[in-house]
Amino acid sequence: MKAHDGMYIAGAWRPASTGDTIPVVNPADEEVIAHVPAGTAEDVDAAVRAARAALPAWSATPPAERAVKIGAVRDGLIARKDEIAATVTAELGAPLPFSEAVHAGVPIMVAGSYADLAATYPFEEKVGNSTVYAEPVGVVGAITPWNYPLHQIVAKVAPALAAGCTVVLKPAEDTPLTAQLFAEITHEAGLPAGVFNLVTGLGPVAGQALAGHDDVDLVSFTGSTAVGKQIGATAGAAVKRVALELGGKSANVILPSADLAKAVNVGVANVMANSGQTCSAWTRMLVHTSRYEEAVELARKAAAKYGDRIGPVVSAKQQARVRGYIERGVEEGARLVAGGPEAPREQGYFVSPTVFADVTPGMTIAQEEIFGPVLSLIRYEDEADAETIANGTVYGLAGAVWAGDDAEAVAFARRLQTGQVDINGGSFNPLAPFGGYKQSGVGRELGAHGLAEYLQTKSLQF
Ligand code: NAD
């Protein structure tokens, strides 16, 4: 795969401060497919200076003109969607049809939504005797993970640009090629130099330098809770805005009146998609005791259908971590009904689609984010019990409720401590705010709520 050997700073590919590189590995065959530069604090500093220099002109650009540029980025994503899908498949391992539909498709929708929102958002409003202006926060440091590599970039960069902010992006070290492709697209779209900048590199080096940089006004981070806590503490100490999209352990609550086969099949598909590497995945399936064994059998059959069809997980490290959790589940007494800890192939970082029954709420696999194709079925006695179990983790990112009618499901969903709930299989909405309750994060992405994250208000009284 073609890779740039520099950083995209101030509108050009600049040599990195050192010759150190990071290998990019295809997780399906373990081949090194490229090397990208390992950025340092010096590279981050150059990128932040470029973003600061570009800020006055970009923030003063009328929103309608910013909307046109974001629209041009969206058009570039459309023009290069096949290349994007192939790149994500090469560095993340997702099967190509999934890369085409989701990894390339969703960012097009999200970029398009911000082209529309930049043109229509009320950046000025009257409140009594005041005029309230929504102004850009300033220079944004964006730190993104590898699991939805382009979506997570676009979900930060597009609203930041719509708000009038400038950006320095530090993408995940496992998936930097997608980020380089995105930088090319912003360049071709004619974004002014310095409005978007890219520094590839390791989290504890380049990521930490960006999160701690004095001249960054807002840090937007998606990734693990452990790193998120550290970034939140750094930002808090510097009195700096921070948005954190962290882990999840979402509950899929199937009420007794639900269409059980549909709820279980959609639930299994939700966990297996992207090889389980989805922060909002419904990794805990809660089933009433009266229908529990029926659900276990349906889940076993559904998981068996996946067989070899899911891709590998992203890296050897993630494979070891996921297999470790599966072993832990067996040790703690859960009943393995599909899959298991053995690697299904000799080559590539594959994990078998795995289903556990007889999982109790206190088990490690019911509490911690595994980030692999592993589903836990938990039994509940009544609605109060289901509510306690569903809300009984430190997380609260997403979830699902299934019932005979939407009103019954909605009544239960309102009792869940979580940022999103899909009712009877409701579909993804790129305009709905996405983000966590509790330790799943701080702040919201997507739609108008996602744009508001990058704004601060100024009130003028008359
Ligand atoms: P991570 O949190 O280590 O990495 C996410 C991003 O943060 C990457 O760009 C990384 O380079 C950067 N980073 C790492 N350490 C940093 C530091 N000290 N300062 C600043 N930036 C830093 O996540 P990971 O190791 O890639 O994955 C580990 C676990 O995180 C996964 O198993 C999963 O549970 C979780 N995860 C969650 C999401 C999500 O969308 N919520 C995404 C990816 C991973």
Side-chain angles (χ1 to χ4, degrees), residues 143-147 152 170-173 202-204 207-208 221-224 227 230-231 245-247 279 317-318 321 369 371:
I143 301 173
T144 55
W146 41 263
N147 58 331
Q152 280 140 341
K170 205 303 283 175
E173 40 273 60
L202 298 173
Q208 202 160 316
F221 169 82
T222 300
S224 62
V227 176
Q230 206 179 315
I231 287 177
E245 295 290 342
L246 309 176
C279 46
K317 180 180 130 195
Q318 284 300 112
R321 181 186 142 100
E369 186 176 52
F371 234 59

Side-chain angles (χ1 to χ4, degrees), residues 111-417:
S113 75
Y114 281 111
D116 295 343
L117 273 164
T120 55
Y121 191 83
F123 288 98
E124 192 183 317
E125 61 170 337
K126 291 261 183 266
V127 179
N129 65 317
S130 304
T131 301
V132 180
Y133 294 92
E135 299 188 341
V137 172
V139 173
V140 172
I143 301 173
T144 55
W146 41 263
N147 58 331
Y148 286 86
L150 187 59
H151 168 64
Q152 280 140 341
I153 290 171
V154 172
K156 296 188 191 309
V157 176
L161 299 184
C165 294
T166 57
V167 181
V168 176
L169 168 68
K170 205 303 283 175
E173 40 273 60
D174 303 273
T175 54
L177 301 178
T178 306
Q180 290 191 340
L181 199 46
F182 178 75
E184 287 180 11
I185 290 168
T186 65
H187 189 83
E188 289 156 7
L191 275 188
V195 168
F196 171 78
N197 308 273
L198 170 69
V199 176
T200 53
L202 298 173
V205 183
Q208 202 160 316
L210 183 59
H213 198 291
D214 285 345
D215 212 22
V216 167
D217 299 298
L218 182 157
V219 180
S220 180
F221 169 82
T222 300
S224 62
T225 301
V227 176
K229 283 180 178 170
Q230 206 179 315
I231 287 177
T234 306
V239 197
K240 182 179 291 196
R241 290 266 292 266
V242 66
L244 304 171
E245 295 290 342
L246 309 176
K249 193 74 195 174
S250 296
N252 178 10
V253 183
I254 305 176
L255 296 175
S257 60
D259 176 342
L260 188 70
K262 186 173 175 200
V264 172
N265 282 316
V266 175
V268 171
N270 174 285
V271 173
M272 300 308 162
N274 212 36
S275 303
Q277 303 166 119
T278 305
C279 46
S280 56
W282 310 333
T283 48
R284 297 179 299 145
M285 185 181 284
L286 275 55
V287 186
H288 188 259
T289 189
S290 64
R291 308 193 71 185
Y292 187 78
E293 284 307 329
E294 203 187 331
V296 169
E297 184 52 22
L298 286 164
R300 186 190 64 74
K301 282 199 187 127
K305 278 195 309 217
Y306 284 87
D308 253 13
R309 276 183 21 232
I310 63 169
V313 295
V314 71
S315 62
K317 180 180 130 195
Q318 284 300 112
Q319 186 194 35
R321 181 186 142 100
V322 175
R323 290 170 65 190
Y325 272 113
I326 299 174
E327 281 164 4
R328 188 79 182 266
V330 173
E331 279 161 26
E332 292 185 3
R335 170 165 50 115
L336 198 55
V337 294
E342 298 79 24
R345 295 194 205 176
E346 294 259 303
Q347 202 188 26
Y349 310 127
F350 290 86
V351 176
S352 295
T354 296
V355 175
F356 277 112
D358 300 344
V359 177
T360 54
M363 286 182 185
T364 307
I365 56 167
Q367 289 292 324
E368 296 185 13
E369 186 176 52
I370 298 174
F371 234 59
V374 183
L375 171 66
S376 294
L377 274 89
I378 305 175
R379 182 194 298 271
Y380 67 83
E381 301 297 328
D382 54 31
E383 278 199 16
D385 190 27
E387 181 184 341
T388 305
I389 297 168
N391 290 333
T393 76
V394 295
Y395 294 116
L397 190 54
V401 179
W402 302 79
D405 63 67
D406 283 356
E408 186 190 351
V410 168
F412 190 84
R414 295 297 302 268
R415 291 151 63 180
L416 295 180
Q417 295 158 5

Side-chain angles (χ1 to χ4, degrees), residues 1-4 22-36 86-93 173-178 180 314:
M1 284 243 145
K2 194 169 72 80
H4 290 277
I22 302 170
V24 185
V25 177
N26 182 332
D29 60 12
E30 305 179 31
E31 296 291 327
V32 173
I33 53 173
H35 288 86
V36 297
T87 304
V88 175
T89 289
E91 60 183 0
L92 177 67
E173 40 273 60
D174 303 273
T175 54
L177 301 178
T178 306
Q180 290 191 340
V314 71

Side-chain angles (χ1 to χ4, degrees), residues 74 77 84 101-112 150-152 154:
R74 184 254 339 264
L77 293 171
I84 291 167
V102 177
H103 291 298
V106 173
I108 292 170
M109 267 199 289
V110 172
L150 187 59
H151 168 64
Q152 280 140 341
V154 172

